[in-house]
Structures are given as C-alpha cells and as structure tokens.
Amino acid sequence: MNNKDYPEVMQEFYYLYRKKMYYIAYQILRNSYDAEDAVQEAFIKLFKDMDVIKDPSSDRAKSYALTAIKSASIDIYRKKSREKGHTVLTDTIPEQSDSPDAADISGTADTVDATELIRKLPEHYRAVLDCRFIKELSVKKTAALLGIKETAVRKRQERGLKILRAKMGGESYGTYK
C-alpha cells in the first residue's frame, strides 16, 4: 500500500468495523462512554499498525479489529475494576446460576474480597470467572468472547471455583493448567 492510499484505507477500515467494535465493547463494559473509549483506543492501535492491513475487508483485518477491541475493552474493564475497589463475592454471583459450584461457595463468602481472590488466580481461570460471574455472561457467550470451547469454559470455571473455595477455606490447592 502506498502512502497515497493510506487515508482511504483507514477510512474504509473505520466504516467497516466501527459499529461491530462498539457493540463488542459495550457487551463487555456495559457503559456507552467506556465503550466509546475502548473503540477509540483500539482504532489508535490499529492505525499505528495499518501497514499490516492491506485489504480492510479481509478476514484477517476483521480478526485483527475484533481482537484489538476485545483487548482494549478488557483493559478498560480491569482498570475500572481496580479503581472501583472491593466487591464481595456473594454480590458477584448471579442468583440463577447454571453452575452448582457457584452455589457451593456463595454461602461461605460473606467477608471474602472476591476481587482480590480472583485477581490472584491464573489468567485463564480469572478470565472465565470474570465473564461468568462479574459480567454474568452465559457459557456460550463466554466461550465466544474468549475464543475457547464451551467445555473449556465449564472446566475452567469448575477448576477456578475449586481454587477459590480452597483459598477461602485456607486449604492449599493443586495447580491446574
């Protein structure tokens, strides 16, 4: 791509993906202002690496855009979570969970700081528990967001909750990969 085509390619890229990127950001952040910030941050990053994208309508460009918005949204979400402070675990578990494991730990978590416990989990468990209990996403939506199979979501949720129960009970826990 020569320098003359660069502004047209950027504009085409923006108009192709802005709505989809906003939708994804809003689904993660649940706040229109934060979603707009995430879209802006993602486009800034994408435009810095625009020489990688030769055809804005290609599958590779779409994948690149969607990955950038997911990362930007999750970064903002984490930043807001840290700023917000502490959340009690019982407040973060939905009333009607399709997981029996969630009910097992909710009764024993009255004084436990969920944000701190979840933050100490390995990333792959932390991401699943964040999606399932903090964002209250379904297994299917969590799998789509993280790019893993639904069975992997269920297993990581099970293992992550097992680690949390062990931490809350003061027990040592095994290492899961």
Side-chain angles (χ1 to χ4, degrees), residues 79-148:
K79 181 180 176 191
K80 295 284 182 184
S81 294
R82 281 192 299 268
E83 290 172 358
K84 196 186 277 187
H86 304 293
T87 306
V88 177
L89 186 59
T90 55
D91 294 338
T92 63
I93 298 176
E95 294 280 294
Q96 299 295 325
S97 175
D98 61 350
S99 167
D101 294 328
D104 291 348
I105 65 167
S106 63
T108 60
D110 295 328
T111 60
V112 176
D113 181 0
T115 305
E116 193 61 35
L117 288 175
I118 292 172
R119 191 177 305 148
K120 292 179 181 178
L121 288 173
E123 174 60 29
H124 53 282
Y125 299 136
R126 183 174 52 236
V128 168
L129 293 181
D130 180 59
C131 289
R132 293 285 294 130
F133 300 119
I134 295 173
K135 295 176 190 166
E136 298 182 6
L137 298 177
S138 68
V139 171
K140 187 174 185 175
K141 286 183 181 179
T142 300
L145 179 67
L146 298 176
I148 59 177

Side-chain angles (χ1 to χ4, degrees), residues 1 9 12-14 16-17 46 50-67:
M1 161 177 32
V9 171
E12 181 183 353
F13 190 81
Y14 175 77
L16 276 172
Y17 301 112
L46 289 166
M50 202 61 187
D51 57 325
V52 173
I53 301 167
K54 307 226 182 315
D55 177 18
S57 59
S58 71
D59 287 339
R60 185 171 187 218
K62 182 179 181 180
S63 176
Y64 193 49
L66 299 182
T67 300

Side-chain angles (χ1 to χ4, degrees), residues 9-19 39 43 47:
V9 171
M10 284 180 18
Q11 186 175 15
E12 181 183 353
F13 190 81
Y14 175 77
Y15 284 113
L16 276 172
Y17 301 112
R18 66 188 167 134
K19 290 180 182 178
V39 171
F43 272 116
F47 289 158

